[in-house]
Amino acid sequence: MTQHGLNGELTTTASRQARLDELKKSFANTLYTSVISMEALKTFAEGGRRFARIDGNVRLIPKQSDLSGFTQTVDLYLFYRKDEKHGWLTERSMAIMRSRSND
């Protein structure tokens, strides 16, 4: 995984496994376990631009019995642009959290 600064300069490089290990540590002490399902409803590609609209459900299951779980619907919009030096970059992303129901 690479991260780039505002002017396109390379700021960080880490392997995929290193990033996954970092995420596992940061989520080890969370109060919930999550189950996420996603489906791409629309994709569009033209030249150096890409777009995806993804429909998802996020279910949070509490790790402690005194907490309640819930499910939330998410609309995710992703916009990409192709950079000749760095390849495909996320230009913009937006998530809209929809209805929430207690489990």
Side-chain angles (χ1 to χ4, degrees):
M1 182 177 102
T2 57
Q3 295 179 344
H4 303 278
L6 295 175
N7 296 319
E9 73 277 11
L10 182 64
T11 58
T12 307
T13 302
S15 70
R16 184 174 190 271
Q17 188 59 52
R19 182 68 178 132
L20 289 173
D21 292 344
E22 179 184 319
L23 287 170
K24 283 180 187 177
K25 283 185 224 171
S26 66
F27 287 105
N29 297 320
T30 61
L31 298 175
Y32 293 89
T33 299
S34 60
V35 177
I36 301 171
S37 62
M38 300 271 174
E39 179 184 357
L41 296 180
K42 180 184 265 189
T43 59
F44 176 78
E46 184 175 307
R49 301 280 183 191
R50 301 288 187 261
F51 164 80
R53 179 182 180 274
I54 299 169
D55 183 35
N57 284 303
V58 178
R59 182 172 178 224
L60 295 180
I61 304 163
K63 293 181 180 178
Q64 301 172 2
S65 61
D66 60 335
L67 299 172
S68 61
F70 63 90
T71 301
Q72 190 152 20
T73 304
V74 180
D75 292 337
L76 183 61
Y77 300 87
L78 303 170
F79 299 85
Y80 300 93
R81 67 176 170 82
K82 188 164 190 174
D83 180 86
E84 293 196 21
K85 186 176 178 182
H86 303 294
W88 288 101
L89 303 174
T90 303
E91 185 173 51
R92 182 172 294 145
S93 62
M94 177 178 63
I96 299 172
M97 306 304 279
R98 298 269 182 215
S99 58
R100 177 175 163 169
S101 61
N102 289 339
D103 293 340

